[in-house]
Amino acid sequence: MSERRQLYKGKSKTVYEIGQPDELLVEFRNDATGGNGAKHAVLDDKGRVNCAFDAFTMAILAENGIKTHWLKSVTDTEILVRRLKMLPIECVLRNRAAGGICKRLGIERGRVFTPPIFEFFLKDDALGDPIITEDHILMLGLANKEELVAMRALTHRVNEILQPVFAKVGFDLVDFKLEFGYYQGQLLLGDEFTLDGCRVWDTQSGEIYDKDRFRQDLGNVIHFYKEASKRLGIIIGEVPKWS
Ligand code: UDP
């Protein structure tokens, strides 16, 4: 791989330019953050687990017709991706109530949403990533109507694809967050799909297997990440051969 130049260091991933104008290298680090960065820890093996988990979910989505930024694994913590122009918007899909929506609407944790609920959030750390309406997004000029419709539809489609994958191994996919961006005029799924950005509960026991273990100090975060991965058939540290 040619010379790399750090482009951006996020809370748990670092993005590098690698000399190819249309591609970037993404490194999954061991850092865990919560409360918009207020809580921080370094958790052994987190980068490897998240990298493998992301490869698994992105591959399933691609097989099912979702266009993503994911190109290939490079090492057990690094992937090559298409370079997207990201929209500063988070798309959240909820199959059950947890986290923010319980506080916001005063509803009980675990309530099932039929149909699932979709929400937009503004990606802005200084503002604390507030929930926003389509009108807000249009007013701010962050995306156009067509893009909003596409992001909503793609997020529902991702749920239709992944919910059964989790259900098959005894997990409830409670909610998740997606981010999209543009690549050569096409809207693609970017960012990541790992246990850092979704909620996954054991269907029988209700045990939490996602980043709420870290946010709520439930302990054994990476143990549970690895257990969830194992149940889904994800092999951590396996790097597919270069094509
Ligand atoms: N989420 C995320 N990044 C964020 C905010 C939320 O990945 O900056 C994910 C979170 O892990 C959960 C879903 O989006 O799976 C919905 O989160 P919620 O709105 O309930 O936010 P929270 O209360 O967890 O901050």
Side-chain angles (χ1 to χ4, degrees), residues 151-216:
M151 282 193 280
R152 181 187 285 266
L154 282 166
T155 305
H156 276 284
R157 182 73 194 119
V158 166
N159 189 47
E160 286 164 12
I161 296 164
L162 290 184
Q163 198 190 22
V165 172
F166 284 87
K168 209 171 152 188
V169 295
F171 285 128
D172 268 346
L173 179 58
V174 172
D175 59 26
F176 60 85
K177 183 262 299 177
L178 301 180
E179 295 178 29
F180 295 92
Y182 268 100
Y183 179 79
Q184 297 175 357
Q186 274 198 316
L187 195 62
L188 265 58
L189 176 62
D191 192 43
E192 66 183 286
F193 194 112
T194 68
L195 292 163
D196 279 2
C198 66
R199 287 192 170 95
V200 171
W201 298 346
D202 182 274
T203 309
Q204 295 298 320
S205 66
E207 186 81 75
I208 293 169
Y209 281 73
D210 56 71
K211 202 170 109 176
D212 275 350
R213 295 206 71 83
F214 175 72
R215 295 188 188 102
Q216 298 172 21

Side-chain angles (χ1 to χ4, degrees), residues 7 9 15 22 28 47 54 61 74 76 78 92 109 133 162 184 189 199 231 237:
L7 184 67
K9 189 169 181 183
V15 179
D22 293 345
F28 291 83
D54 186 60
L61 294 174
V74 177
D76 59 359
E78 294 167 320
V92 168
R109 180 179 179 275
T133 68
L162 290 184
Q184 297 175 357
L189 176 62
R199 287 192 170 95
R231 269 163 71 170

Side-chain angles (χ1 to χ4, degrees), residues 29-62:
R29 303 196 317 273
N30 287 342
D31 299 86
T33 62
N36 199 5
K39 197 172 145 80
H40 175 260
V42 177
L43 305 176
D44 269 359
D45 258 1
K46 180 170 180 286
R48 290 173 73 233
V49 179
N50 277 8
C51 191
F53 202 100
D54 186 60
F56 171 80
T57 48
M58 289 288 170
I60 290 176
L61 294 174

Side-chain angles (χ1 to χ4, degrees), residues 49-181:
V49 179
N50 277 8
C51 191
F53 202 100
D54 186 60
F56 171 80
T57 48
M58 289 288 170
I60 290 176
L61 294 174
E63 279 164 20
N64 285 276
I66 301 285
K67 295 194 171 67
T68 84
H69 71 158
W70 200 97
L71 287 170
K72 61 182 162 191
S73 298
V74 177
T75 69
D76 59 359
T77 56
E78 294 167 320
I79 57 170
L80 196 67
V81 300
R82 297 186 177 94
R83 184 178 191 148
L84 310 188
K85 189 171 174 3
M86 297 302 292
L87 298 172
I89 293 169
E90 297 184 341
C91 297
V92 168
L93 196 292
R94 303 179 187 273
N95 292 306
R96 303 179 73 133
I101 197 168
C102 297
K103 267 198 212 149
R104 205 161 44 244
L105 302 183
I107 55 178
E108 80 281 14
R109 180 179 179 275
R111 178 160 160 183
V112 176
F113 298 130
T114 318
I117 287 178
F118 175 88
E119 297 169 342
F120 284 117
F121 289 83
L122 178 64
K123 207 171 151 60
D124 187 323
D125 284 344
L127 296 176
D129 294 349
I131 190 166
I132 47 171
T133 68
E134 295 196 359
D135 283 0
H136 294 154
I137 294 174
L138 296 174
M139 174 272 291
L140 292 168
L142 302 177
N144 62 38
K145 184 77 198 165
E146 194 188 321
E147 291 163 345
L148 297 182
V149 170
M151 282 193 280
R152 181 187 285 266
L154 282 166
T155 305
H156 276 284
R157 182 73 194 119
V158 166
N159 189 47
E160 286 164 12
I161 296 164
L162 290 184
Q163 198 190 22
V165 172
F166 284 87
K168 209 171 152 188
V169 295
F171 285 128
D172 268 346
L173 179 58
V174 172
D175 59 26
F176 60 85
K177 183 262 299 177
L178 301 180
E179 295 178 29
F180 295 92

